[in-house]
Amino acid sequence: MSTLSDLANAQGRLADHDVEWLHRLAGDGQLLADLASADIVVWIETGDGSFVAVAHARPSGAATLFYRDIVGERVRPQWRTQVQGAFDSAEIVDSSSPDWFEETPTRVRAVPIVNERRGGENQAGVIGVVTRHTNLGEARTPSRQQITFDECANDIFRMIADGSFPDPAAPTSPRRGAPRASDGLIRIDVDGITTFASPNALSAFNRMGFDDELEGESLAEVTTRLVPPSRQVDESLPVVVTGRAPWRTDIEARGVTVSLRAIPLKDHGTRIGAILLCRDVSELRHQEQELITKDATIREIHHRVKNNLQTVASLLRIQARRTHSDEARDALTQAMRRVDSIAVVHDTLAQGLTQKVDFDEVFHRVLKLVAEVASAPNTRARTRSTGRFGVLPSEYATPLALALTEVVTNAVEHGLAGQEGMVTIDAARTEENLRVTVHDTGKGLPEGRIGQGLGTQIIRTLIQGELSGSIEWRGSEGEGTEVVIDIPLRWLTT
């Protein structure tokens, strides 16, 4: 077990919203580690008087104490009393003297994790403990930034202990591109006045056109002056720059985009100010825009390919209707159906943002194409699909759709020719393999022989050549035919 959910659920002592609370806190573990310049570990009770580590974050700007992964380990004897004390009392417990860890002097702080929903068994709503492990071996005279960072960390620890951090109202936004403490930190008071701005934060605002000191300025007024009147402003900007809500937003000025994240600071429920993390994400937003443009271009290409293939299929259909040779008409009809199958895959890809497709949707549409064959004179064929194919990359979807079109068409045209019957398609998928079984209730293979026509050659080429799979025909005359296709799903692990 390696994930927080696995470890927490294994103890069986936490409700789902408690685990969600721990997830949110662990998501900000790196922020706490960077602010405190210390290792941060999240512990949950095991029920036998001990605790197990479910999350760990190392500081970016200081040496870590734990060079090996501590997640999954039980609390060490020298911390157990302190951690148990924080859990039982719902109060922050600091070590009374330096704690030695592998010959390194450290200071440990144990902070109870209180879920404001009071989900834990503990009467105070304590669902776990977070410990701060500070390396005293590298102690030096702290800078003003380090002092401010430490004060911010202590404010957040107090909020964790009274159940006001993490804020359940905060949206769970993607971590990619999220501002970190080292990217830039601004602290504002309850009136929105800047009391501290790190050098990186000041540089980010300088690049947007602000050429003065941020400290002593109203951050809301500064951003109002920076953003051009003609530019549309995110509705969340005012509440973010005043620190009134735990949200994220972007500011764009002079071609520079700065991402802001507000963390309101509270003292027993009363707002006392806020921390704002800021990061210049101009290059990241430019890359995202390029990806959006590229995705739109790819979708347009798939759309045009689909249109062209449908045009080719229409031409083949017209030609088939005008030919006087039954053999030529059958060949043109088969070619039309193959082109239509490929067009279905491109049509599906044109509707999504990824190069993967829900193959169950694709195959459902492919079956409709094959149903045309069932309308042949004296043939009444029904099809039934069971199981799920799941999501497949386009390089698998196209040959598989075409191969299954051939297999099902053969089952209807040859297996059920001139009679009534059923064709069943079953998909069984595991992490390593996809097995598709096509069974018809027709007349079966004559003397067990496999056809040598173009359709069979196409099937073998697609399954064995392009999908690195295997195909097997089973059955005997009068007992129907079963075709088993096995495809390895190596792409899942590459």
Side-chain angles (χ1 to χ4, degrees), residues 292-308 346-347 349-353 355:
I292 291 173
T293 302
K294 185 180 295 184
D295 284 337
T297 302
I298 292 173
R299 289 200 306 272
E300 178 62 21
I301 291 172
H302 283 303
H303 180 71
R304 294 190 180 189
V305 169
K306 182 263 298 184
N307 288 344
N308 291 337
H346 284 281
D347 187 34
L349 290 169
Q351 299 171 16
L353 291 174
Q355 290 305 294

Side-chain angles (χ1 to χ4, degrees), residues 241-281:
V241 295
T242 56
R244 296 179 181 275
W247 294 340
R248 276 179 58 183
T249 188
D250 287 353
I251 303 176
E252 187 174 350
R254 296 176 60 177
V256 176
T257 303
V258 173
S259 179
L260 289 177
R261 178 196 174 187
I263 303 174
L265 298 177
K266 300 177 183 178
D267 184 6
H268 294 89
T270 302
R271 191 168 62 87
I272 60 174
I275 300 170
L276 281 96
L277 306 177
C278 54
R279 177 181 182 180
D280 186 341
V281 292

Side-chain angles (χ1 to χ4, degrees), residues 2 6-7 26 93 173-174 187 255 280 307 323 326 370-371 376 401 407 459:
S2 59
D6 290 337
L7 291 166
V93 180
S173 54
R187 178 157 184 162
D280 186 341
N307 288 344
T323 185
D326 291 340
V370 178
V407 173
I459 295 169

Side-chain angles (χ1 to χ4, degrees), residues 12-209:
R13 301 174 60 82
L14 296 174
D16 289 342
H17 51 76
D18 291 328
V19 176
E20 175 61 26
W21 193 273
L22 291 173
H23 262 295
R24 284 178 173 267
L25 179 60
D28 279 318
Q30 190 61 55
L31 170 64
L32 283 169
D34 292 342
L35 289 175
S37 296
D39 285 270
I40 301 297
V41 184
V42 177
W43 307 88
I44 61 171
E45 190 188 21
T46 60
D48 59 357
S50 186
F51 293 81
V52 63
V54 295
H56 172 221
R58 296 180 174 89
S60 300
T64 180
L65 288 170
F66 308 119
Y67 291 95
R68 294 179 180 84
D69 194 3
I70 196 173
V71 173
E73 292 187 7
R74 289 179 176 265
V75 66
R76 302 200 175 194
Q78 63 264 40
W79 308 325
R80 181 178 298 168
T81 301
Q82 191 175 346
V83 170
Q84 187 72 56
F87 185 83
D88 292 337
S89 67
E91 299 287 343
I92 296 176
V93 180
D94 289 304
S95 54
S96 57
S97 60
D99 173 71
W100 290 86
F101 179 80
E102 296 182 356
E103 302 182 354
T104 301
T106 66
R107 184 171 61 249
V108 180
R109 163 171 281 196
V111 181
I113 303 171
V114 176
N115 185 344
E116 68 167 11
R117 304 176 192 178
R118 301 297 188 263
E121 293 182 0
N122 186 295
Q123 291 296 319
V126 180
I127 61 174
V129 176
V130 58
T131 52
R132 164 182 172 169
H133 303 260
T134 305
N135 187 341
L136 299 180
E138 294 189 344
R140 56 182 183 273
T141 303
S143 64
R144 180 166 176 254
Q145 175 171 305
Q146 289 174 315
I147 293 173
T148 303
F149 276 28
D150 191 61
E151 291 174 349
C152 293
N154 289 332
D155 286 335
I156 295 178
F157 283 131
R158 284 193 290 270
M159 291 168 62
I160 293 173
D162 65 28
S164 55
F165 187 90
D167 194 320
T172 54
S173 54
R175 295 285 171 187
R176 183 173 182 265
R180 302 158 296 190
S182 57
D183 295 322
L185 181 143
I186 299 171
R187 178 157 184 162
I188 60 176
D189 62 18
V190 69
D191 298 317
I193 305 300
T194 303
T195 60
F196 173 81
S198 71
N200 285 345
L202 184 58
S203 295
F205 275 79
N206 288 161
R207 286 191 287 273
M208 288 192 294

Side-chain angles (χ1 to χ4, degrees), residues 386-389 400 404 425-430 432-438 470 472 474 482-489:
T386 61
R388 290 189 58 83
F389 291 90
L400 182 58
L404 290 178
I425 305 97
D426 177 69
R429 178 169 175 168
T430 65
E432 298 84 17
N433 179 270
L434 172 64
R435 168 168 288 197
V436 184
T437 304
V438 181
S470 63
E472 180 183 0
R474 303 170 180 170
E482 184 176 81
V483 181
V484 181
I485 298 172
D486 278 300
I487 301 171
L489 300 180

